[in-house]
Amino acid sequence: MTRRLKTVQDVGEFPLIERLKTLCGSSASVVCGIGDDCAVVQPPRGRLLLFKTDMVVEHVHFTRRSAPEQVGHKAMGRPLSDIAAMAGEARCAVVAIAMPARTSIRYVDGLYRGMHECAAMFGVDIVGGDTSRASQIMMTVSVLGNVTRARCVYRSGAKPGDGIYVTGVLGGTILRKHVSFVPRIKESQWLAHHVRPSAMIDISDGFVQDIGHILEASGVGAEIDVATIPISQDASRCAGGNANKALHSALYDGEDFELLFTVPREREKRLAQWSCAWSIPCTRVGTITEDKKLRDTKGHVIPQKGYVHFLCG
Ligand SMILES: [Mg+2]
């Protein structure tokens, strides 16, 4: 006879919270973590607070084919990637989770282990949250971060003539990267200190769509040299060796969670130090233009069609 796996329902809400509390741990910088009505944290002096929430939903952002540790990693990594996009440091997170009562405790443990491991890479504490019942698993992770006023990088600062750069390699994320990416928090701190990007975003919806957000917010356009787009091996693998398909994947796939940023011409030479500091590439892929279109070097308009949640019609 095989023993049935223990479920959330078997354990009950309060013992479940106690269990998750143990999995999350807490550092000394938190005044009061899980266990009171609110978490209490000391705000860092003289810094702006960054506040971000992000939801992952079963069948939309993940399936049970991924290990729960990977799903947890993704749920925590997504809002941390947004903190990176502002050149901020992340401090603490709260996690709201809804799931069917029959969800196994082993699965829930895996989710929290994945979230905790991802958070711990950046010194982020999980300081609270909420649990509820639902017909499918949903997790909302809200992260509190901070940044100095002078270092904060917005989408709106790109100017004609600025170089356009991307970290890492793009495309084919469905194979692995969408559940195993590393939020570029450390790299963005370095960029804010050494290079001071004029605008920055993390690539969640695809390179083309996300550069579109920078262009719109900054009131500018861009010329992209598509031959320089860094295509991942997974994109090539997904495309079965077809170079055009691989490029399409790099331009449009999404969930790369790389940094896409612009740098004024006079500061571009500072990026020469990048390869001494980091093992991932940082590639110049184009230039910001006055003409408010996204074009390739032949002047053709690059169509906007990244991932959108609510398509019309
Ligand atoms: Mg973002």
Side-chain angles (χ1 to χ4, degrees):
M1 200 177 92
T2 54
R3 231 181 46 196
R4 195 171 66 90
L5 277 179
K6 246 187 181 181
T7 66
V8 170
Q9 198 165 23
D10 299 332
V11 173
E13 185 181 358
F14 295 110
L16 176 68
I17 292 170
E18 275 307 309
R19 190 183 179 96
L20 301 180
K21 192 172 155 182
T22 320
L23 280 172
C24 291
S26 192
S27 75
S29 67
V30 177
V31 181
C32 176
I34 300 173
D36 213 313
D37 294 285
C38 287
V40 183
V41 289
Q42 179 77 46
R45 274 179 82 156
R47 293 173 79 99
L48 301 176
L49 292 180
L50 299 172
F51 195 22
K52 172 69 189 186
T53 192
D54 195 284
M55 186 187 268
V56 292
V57 178
E58 189 180 3
H59 308 307
V60 178
H61 301 95
F62 70 94
T63 66
R64 301 278 180 116
R65 279 199 300 274
S66 295
E69 286 80 3
Q70 293 180 312
V71 176
H73 176 95
K74 179 173 189 169
M76 182 58 70
R78 287 167 56 102
L80 292 182
S81 178
D82 284 314
I83 299 284
M86 309 300 290
E89 280 172 32
R91 183 82 184 278
C92 55
V94 291
V95 177
I97 181 165
M99 61 202 147
R102 61 176 188 283
T103 310
S104 78
I105 280 294
R106 193 193 285 175
Y107 191 88
V108 181
D109 283 355
L111 291 174
Y112 274 77
R113 216 176 292 126
M115 280 191 281
H116 175 63
E117 278 171 19
C118 181
M121 282 167 72
F122 304 100
V124 174
D125 290 300
I126 299 174
V127 294
D130 194 17
T131 56
S132 177
R133 192 196 306 225
S135 56
Q136 70 206 93
I137 298 179
M138 286 177 264
M139 274 183 293
T140 300
V141 179
S142 305
V143 174
L144 199 58
N146 62 76
V147 65
T148 58
R149 191 179 289 271
R151 290 266 173 87
C152 191
V153 184
Y154 299 87
R155 296 177 179 185
S156 54
K159 296 270 185 319
D162 290 2
I164 303 166
Y165 292 83
V166 66
T167 61
V169 289
L170 307 181
T173 55
I174 192 70
L175 282 191
R176 283 180 292 202
K177 196 177 181 184
H178 79 111
V179 287
S180 63
F181 64 92
V182 179
R184 301 296 184 203
I185 289 202
K186 292 172 184 166
E187 292 84 350
S188 85
Q189 295 279 303
W190 185 92
L191 285 171
H193 183 74
H194 290 90
V195 183
R196 283 197 295 123
S198 48
M200 188 153 62
I201 191 168
D202 64 317
I203 303 181
S204 52
D205 299 331
F207 173 87
V208 171
Q209 185 149 307
D210 286 320
I211 195 166
H213 294 314
I214 286 185
L215 303 186
E216 200 180 322
S218 300
V220 292
E223 185 187 270
I224 302 299
D225 183 355
V226 289
T228 60
I229 293 285
I231 300 170
S232 73
Q233 286 183 355
D234 280 352
S236 303
R237 202 165 300 148
C238 284
N242 179 321
N244 263 333
K245 270 195 191 166
L247 174 63
H248 190 275
S249 161
L251 288 173
Y252 294 105
D253 272 7
E255 301 208 311
D256 296 290
F257 300 105
E258 294 295 346
L259 295 171
L260 170 58
F261 59 97
T262 59
V263 181
R265 201 170 284 163
E266 69 273 13
R267 295 203 293 274
E268 285 191 78
K269 56 181 174 298
R270 300 185 190 177
L271 275 164
Q273 298 302 312
W274 172 274
S275 53
C276 305
W278 308 105
S279 56
I280 57 162
C282 178
T283 313
R284 193 185 199 281
V285 294
T287 309
I288 295 291
T289 58
E290 231 160 281
D291 162 39
K292 293 183 185 175
K293 292 269 173 23
L294 181 66
R295 296 182 192 275
D296 63 19
T297 46
K298 293 190 184 115
H300 300 306
V301 170
I302 299 172
Q304 283 284 347
K305 46 178 179 174
Y307 185 80
V308 280
H309 275 284
F310 302 104
L311 281 172
C312 309

